[in-house]
Amino acid sequence: MKSWKAWAKLHVYQKVIFVFVALVIPYSLINLWMNLEGQKYVRGDITDSTQSNVNFYSRQLDDQMSFIRNLQLQLLNEPELQKLNFLGKQINEFDSIQLVNRVRDRLIANLNSSDYLVNVGVYIKSFGRTISTQSGITPVPNAEYDVVAGYSELQPSRPLYYRDGKLFFLASANNAAIIAYFQLSVPRFEETLRPLVDRYGDSGALLADDTFRSRISFKTKDEVVKLIGDRIDAKMPDQPDASFTVRSGKQTYLVTNSRISTLGLTLFTYLNQNELTGQLRTFNIWYIVLSIVSIVIIVLFSFSVNLMIHKPLKRLIVSFKILEADSLIRSTGIRPNNEFGYLYRNFDQMVQRLKLSIRENYEQKIALQHSELKQLQSQINPHFLYNSFFNIYMICRSGDMEQASEMARRLGSYYQFITRSGKDEAHLVDEYRHALDYCEIQSIRFSNRIEVEADELPASCAAYEVPRIIVQPVVENAFEHAFENGRRRGHVYVRAAFENEVLRISVEDDGGGLQGEALQALQAKLAHATEAHEKTGLINVGRRIRLKFGETSGVFVSRSEQGGLKAEIVIHFSERGY
């Protein structure tokens, strides 16, 4: 739930970017998965191909060695060789030469049958000599005899004999009375191993026995060979893994092997994986480049969305907020030739139309206020003027010239303020003095039966301008409605306060006042004073104040603590309605 609220608070451009990233990430992950799976498949193919190549060469070697081994076994069964062994040193010289020559011919034929042979020979114990293609007929002991002297017939499963860098096939017959030895060409083995690893720089091949001590190698590194030997020792020697990896420093090597049963050896090759999968690393680099490019595209897309959508939209929203704050001065001032340009132009046109409408409406309201004021001035009660003159007459008859003079002065000041033409506004001090003049006139009229207590107007607000004739009608309402019978004594209290740019002038009386539903009806009318059609009295005053100073200002009525009605004028000068 919280995540949805957080999503709802995001800006439009942020949501667009999130959606874009949400679409790009699965694509990137699928691409990464396909790349990894492809690399895995290619590595498997390379490993299988390398293993197949090793198996192929090992089978070729096995076939060659099987052929040589069969030649050796056939040699041991040659009649001339058996006869020579049987007669031994008792044979005459003529027969000896004939038999030896035939044996040599057979040895030479065996030598020429395979490129892997460099020397073919036999040792005949009873004859006391060795016969070979290299040394001919040589009495023992000699160098070739030393090779076969350590041969044990108890180890027929190990026909291969490695000594002093030379490799021999050994086989015996007649309880080791005849030993055939075939010397294999180590360089030829190396030539056979060359095609396996020659195309790679960091690679090598070797033939090793089960103990991994006797071996023929080509292009090998000692540290890698040692790692292979350690791995073989850790496994069953007769069950090595078909392929495995070893790590030397920062390099990883793929090791493949294949058993050559005829030789009793295992063919090992190792290749640097970086050379095998070099192209795959290129794909990895391109994938990283693609990922970086994707990130750059996302960043550029974010900036472009922010520049082309968010900022123009934010500028338009700011303009709307300023307009919402009752300010019609601001204009977007931008005319791009796109969709936002269309919105900006129409926004400015709307603001201009609003300005025009408000100006027309304001001027109409001012004209209405002016006409209402003129109408109010024309509605001066002639009875008030008649009663005032009659009161002056009666005071003069009584001989109280000072009070008559004061009455005449107050009446003159009162009508001078009412009949003054020109401005529709007056300084608050003049408006307040006009209301007090009215209070004095009424006090004299009622023979001082109604006492008026009035506060001094705070000096800090004396110079403020207010609509004319807004205080006197409120005071007049107290005299006319609170003391309608004109017989009882009463009090009128006029209070003035000014604080935080808010003016409060209250008029209270201790008369009968309004009761119950009548008071509620008056309060309802004053609450909607701008909609009322009355042109005089409290409603008129309340409407004029609200049109001038806004909805928080106006006239408010309530029950007074003195027992009568309390009418309060409230003006917020900081919230002017124009």
Side-chain angles (χ1 to χ4, degrees), residues 328 351-362:
L328 298 178
V351 171
Q352 292 300 325
R353 286 195 293 269
L354 281 175
K355 284 182 180 179
L356 181 61
S357 298
I358 291 174
R359 186 181 298 111
E360 292 176 352
N361 189 34
Y362 179 71

Side-chain angles (χ1 to χ4, degrees), residues 4-24:
W4 281 110
K5 290 182 179 179
W7 172 261
K9 292 180 180 179
L10 293 177
H11 295 294
V12 173
Y13 91 100
Q14 292 174 328
K15 293 180 180 178
V16 171
I17 292 171
F18 273 119
V19 171
F20 180 74
V21 172
L23 294 176
V24 169

Side-chain angles (χ1 to χ4, degrees), residues 315-488:
R315 191 177 294 115
L316 189 61
I317 291 173
V318 169
S319 298
F320 270 109
K321 287 183 177 180
I322 294 175
L323 180 63
E324 188 179 19
D326 295 334
S327 176
L328 298 178
I329 301 174
R330 183 181 177 89
S331 172
T332 57
I334 303 171
R335 297 292 185 273
N337 190 21
N338 54 26
E339 292 83 354
F340 283 103
Y342 175 79
L343 291 176
Y344 292 152
R345 287 190 294 272
N346 281 271
F347 176 82
D348 291 342
Q349 292 174 7
M350 179 190 70
V351 171
Q352 292 300 325
R353 286 195 293 269
L354 281 175
K355 284 182 180 179
L356 181 61
S357 298
I358 291 174
R359 186 181 298 111
E360 292 176 352
N361 189 34
Y362 179 71
E363 290 175 353
Q364 289 176 0
K365 287 183 178 180
I366 293 299
L368 178 62
Q369 291 182 33
H370 185 73
S371 63
E372 289 177 354
L373 180 60
K374 295 299 182 181
Q375 183 179 3
L376 185 64
Q377 290 175 339
S378 65
Q379 289 178 346
I380 297 173
N381 191 345
H383 294 286
F384 173 76
L385 181 59
Y386 169 77
N387 290 333
S388 297
F389 280 128
F390 182 77
N391 287 335
I392 293 174
Y393 168 74
M394 294 301 296
I395 293 172
C396 290
R397 287 287 303 268
S398 66
D400 190 352
M401 302 306 295
E402 184 177 351
Q403 190 173 18
S405 174
E406 179 65 19
M407 178 72 171
R409 187 184 68 81
R410 294 280 186 178
L411 188 61
S413 175
Y414 175 81
Y415 278 105
Q416 181 185 19
F417 185 83
I418 287 181
T419 58
R420 183 184 302 163
S421 60
K423 292 179 63 177
D424 294 331
E425 295 182 350
H427 289 103
L428 183 58
V429 63
D430 296 332
E431 176 66 23
Y432 194 71
R433 186 184 302 114
H434 170 69
L436 295 183
D437 288 341
Y438 179 81
C439 289
E440 288 296 328
I441 294 171
Q442 289 292 67
S443 295
I444 296 173
R445 176 188 168 193
F446 285 97
S447 302
N448 294 320
R449 286 185 294 104
I450 299 177
E451 295 183 9
V452 178
E453 294 184 14
D455 291 345
E456 290 290 333
L457 183 70
S460 57
C461 62
Y464 280 59
E465 290 191 344
V466 295
R468 294 177 62 191
I469 313 178
I470 59 172
V471 181
Q472 183 269 333
V474 178
V475 177
E476 181 181 356
N477 181 76
F479 278 95
E480 288 187 358
H481 298 286
F483 310 104
E484 291 179 351
N485 54 21
R487 297 176 183 176
R488 63 182 294 273

Side-chain angles (χ1 to χ4, degrees), residues 287-306:
Y287 179 78
I288 293 173
V289 171
L290 178 62
S291 300
I292 294 174
V293 170
S294 299
I295 293 173
V296 172
I297 289 175
I298 291 174
V299 172
L300 292 178
F301 178 76
S302 303
F303 276 111
S304 62
V305 170
N306 182 50

